[in-house]
Amino acid sequence: MSASAVLAAAGGNTPSIPAPHVEYGQLSPMLVVFGAAVAGVLVETFVPRRLRRWTQVSLSLVALVGAFVAVVVLAAQGHGAPRIDLLAMESVALDGPALFLQGVILLVAVVTVLTYAERRLEPKAGGEPADAFAAQAAATPGGEQERAAVRAGFTTTEVFPLTMFAVGGMLLFPAANDLLTMFVALEVFSLPLYLLCALARRRRLLSQEAAVKYFLLGAFASAFFLFGTALLYGYAGSVKLVDIADIVSGKTMTTAAQLSSTRSDVLLLTGLAMLAVGLLFKVGAVPFHSWTPDVYQGAPTPVTGFMASATKVAAFGAFLRLFYVAFPGLRLDWRPVLWGVAILTMVVGAVLAVTQQDVKRLLAYSSIAHAGFILTGVIAVNKQGLSSVLFYLAAYSFVTLGAFAVVTLVRDSKGEATHLSSWAGLGRRSPLVAAVFALFLLAFAGIPLTSGFTGKFAVFQAAAAGGATPLVIVGVLSSAVAAFFYIRVIVLMFFSDPKPGGPTVAIPSAFTATAIGVGVLVTLGLGLLPQYFLDLASKASLFAY
């Protein structure tokens, strides 16, 4: 008897599977980015090699700008605030924090693509301009295949679709409304980053070592996150954040199995701890920070800037959603733990940065310290804390991108000259570049009239209002220590003699110049005229429950 006959015989007794309802218009920012990523893969397959780079750059920029316009349109239509929606069978939230963070991630990605497209800094390869990425990713470093690829002028244009997949995952991560969607988003943006870290044109072995470290430690963090998800499902019988919150608070108790599992908090607290480990790894918080300096140093500098900014925005967005939506009823349990993590992160990041002699490692430890500063806003557990974290993430992202873009300009015969001794006298050799880098360092230090000061003031004020005044004191002291090594670099640039035969400052193309210019404008704009953006973050600080 055929399958069709069996189905016909069953008739109306066969249960139908309802088709999922997907709100394509409201999901358009993510769909545009993922569509461009898939199109980028097709470009690698069908477009001639000589045309791929400009095709990929154009496709990526158009898609990112289009996705950002979609975010603005959704916000203008009232989505996010005051209207809050749950999309794709309630697995994705369209609320204020999601739209705000998606907009920041997309703007960061636009600037990142500009730094990827830079081809004036590296010496020509095979008579063709070269970028920061390996000529052929699959070739053995230093082998004949790699030398042949360099002579032929090959470029790894696959970095553009990989970045677009990573951006798509980052857009979904802070908007995910259940733990499984959050895990899928985590993997979607992590796997491309592991590959991107291994694609440096110079120092390829160091780059590949960084990628392997990031991959292995990232795999452990993902395993912790997934195991935590399983434990929480065993506790609550659901992976939806709102359902977990209702079970924790006692609002919902529907089955005998739930009654049995919720008599003990072991599953709940263990699952929450494992989820926190996975997310704290992504934000680079102590004691899950060990990957950060090595990966930041070994990855191609444009990729380092992208990771240091966009990944932190997406991870803290998911962190906020998890603790504010699913576990507000457990704040007495998780706040003391986050107090300890925030203190360790600020102190360790600031103190170890003082000992660094490499600019990229210094910025890596700076990133760790800033993760601690942002955690002080998370711990506030109030609307002011949420809005201050959103503002801080936006301000920090563009300062970081600009700083790493400047790092690509200081070069010697081996490529980027990242040792601090090479930056001595940079203010005399190139006053403009040194002044721009000094501005970014002052913003990191939280000096007034920069975006860094406004961001730190906002998170510390929110933490004090939330009863975390001792944490604010530790943050201020850590900021003072951090200011020491930032100012030390400024003194080195402007008050030291340049070394004879030292590194030169390359003249970038319009791509990198635009990226640095955007960083300067945002740093000064959010420092001098922050009120509009603080109000925007405040309006966006309402999660979907």
Side-chain angles (χ1 to χ4, degrees):
M1 194 172 183
S2 66
S4 58
V6 172
L7 291 175
N13 296 326
T14 304
S16 61
I17 300 176
H21 176 65
V22 180
E23 300 83 352
Y24 294 103
Q26 296 169 28
L27 293 170
S28 57
M30 287 178 279
L31 296 179
V32 168
V33 171
F34 280 125
V38 174
V41 174
L42 297 177
V43 167
E44 292 297 313
T45 305
F46 297 108
V47 175
R49 187 184 295 274
R50 68 182 184 278
L51 301 177
R52 286 179 195 168
R53 177 178 171 274
W54 283 112
T55 304
Q56 294 283 24
V57 171
S58 302
L59 175 63
S60 299
L61 289 176
V62 168
L64 292 170
V65 172
F68 180 75
V69 170
V71 168
V72 173
V73 169
L74 288 173
Q77 292 175 346
H79 294 284
R83 179 180 172 185
I84 294 175
D85 299 298
L86 295 178
L87 315 174
M89 307 293 287
E90 299 187 353
S91 63
V92 179
L94 183 65
D95 52 20
L99 280 179
F100 186 93
L101 295 174
Q102 285 178 348
V104 172
I105 291 168
L106 289 167
L107 291 178
V108 166
V110 169
V111 178
T112 298
V113 170
L114 295 178
T115 60
Y116 283 10
E118 178 61 63
R119 302 184 78 189
R120 185 178 289 180
L121 305 180
E122 293 285 346
K124 289 187 176 182
E128 295 291 332
D131 55 23
F133 302 99
Q136 190 168 8
T140 303
E144 178 55 36
Q145 187 179 6
E146 182 184 52
R147 290 194 292 270
V150 171
R151 288 194 298 269
F154 288 176
T155 57
T156 305
T157 50
E158 295 93 331
V159 297
F160 294 99
L162 284 174
T163 301
M164 296 299 286
F165 277 117
V167 172
M170 291 174 185
L171 296 179
L172 179 59
F173 198 41
N177 196 48
D178 65 62
L179 295 177
L180 282 182
T181 304
M182 196 174 286
F183 175 75
V184 170
L186 173 66
E187 294 305 294
V188 168
F189 81 77
S190 295
L191 293 175
L193 288 178
Y194 301 150
L195 295 174
L196 289 168
C197 287
L199 299 180
R201 179 175 289 269
R202 307 288 190 105
R203 300 170 183 166
R204 285 200 64 200
L205 289 177
L206 183 65
S207 177
Q208 292 182 354
E209 178 189 354
V212 170
K213 288 179 179 178
Y214 192 23
F215 170 69
L216 292 177
L217 293 176
F220 277 108
S222 297
F224 272 102
F225 190 95
L226 190 58
F227 196 16
T229 299
L231 292 178
L232 286 171
Y233 180 77
Y235 175 84
S238 175
V239 292
K240 291 183 179 180
L241 302 185
V242 178
D243 292 346
I244 294 172
D246 289 343
I247 294 293
V248 170
S249 64
K251 292 181 182 179
T252 305
M253 195 67 64
T254 57
T255 66
Q258 287 177 352
L259 286 169
S260 175
S261 67
T262 53
R263 289 196 183 106
S264 171
D265 288 339
V266 174
L267 288 177
L268 173 63
L269 297 178
T270 306
L272 175 58
M274 289 188 169
L275 290 181
V277 167
L279 292 176
L280 289 171
F281 172 87
K282 281 300 175 186
V283 302
V286 177
F288 312 104
H289 68 292
S290 59
W291 63 276
T292 310
D294 292 337
V295 174
Y296 279 29
Q297 183 182 21
T301 302
V303 174
T304 303
F306 177 57
M307 285 195 303
S309 52
T311 301
K312 200 173 292 289
V313 173
F316 266 112
F319 200 92
L320 287 166
R321 185 173 298 279
L322 186 68
F323 283 92
Y324 279 50
V325 176
F327 301 106
L330 289 178
R331 66 183 63 182
L332 295 179
D333 296 290
W334 56 256
R335 277 193 80 191
V337 177
L338 289 188
W339 267 63
V341 172
I343 291 172
L344 280 175
T345 304
M346 289 186 288
V347 173
V348 170
V351 171
L352 291 185
V354 175
T355 66
Q356 301 305 309
Q357 297 299 314
D358 185 275
V359 173
K360 290 176 75 173
R361 292 184 72 88
L362 185 149
L363 293 176
Y365 280 104
S366 169
S367 171
I368 293 169
H370 281 279
F373 299 144
I374 297 171
L375 280 173
T376 62
V378 176
I379 290 169
V381 197
N382 53 33
K383 183 179 179 181
Q384 187 180 359
L386 176 55
S387 63
S388 66
V389 169
L390 295 179
F391 180 87
Y392 199 120
L393 290 171
Y396 172 80
S397 298
F398 290 95
V399 178
T400 302
L401 277 175
F404 279 106
V406 172
V407 170
T408 64
L409 303 183
V410 183
R411 312 183 74 83
D412 56 20
S413 60
K414 297 180 181 179
E416 295 165 359
T418 58
H419 196 277
L420 277 180
S421 62
S422 302
W423 290 62
L426 184 68
R428 301 183 186 182
R429 194 178 298 122
S430 180
L432 180 59
V433 171
V436 168
F437 195 66
L439 173 65
F440 293 139
L441 292 178
L442 292 174
F444 283 134
I447 302 301
L449 304 183
T450 65
S451 59
F453 171 79
T454 309
K456 281 186 180 178
F457 182 82
V459 294
F460 288 163
Q461 186 181 47
T469 302
L471 192 62
V472 174
I473 295 173
V474 175
V476 172
L477 295 176
S478 298
S479 296
V481 174
F484 167 77
F485 61 79
Y486 294 130
I487 294 175
R488 183 187 67 172
V489 177
I490 296 174
V491 171
L492 183 70
M493 291 191 297
F494 287 98
F495 299 100
S496 299
D497 295 325
K499 288 185 176 181
T504 60
V505 177
I507 299 175
S509 69
F511 292 115
T512 299
T514 302
I516 296 173
V518 170
V520 170
L521 288 175
V522 174
T523 301
L524 292 176
L526 296 186
L528 297 173
L529 302 169
Q531 193 58 51
Y532 172 79
F533 299 97
L534 287 170
D535 292 341
L536 187 64
S538 180
K539 292 177 182 177
S541 55
L542 182 62
F543 278 117
Y545 291 97

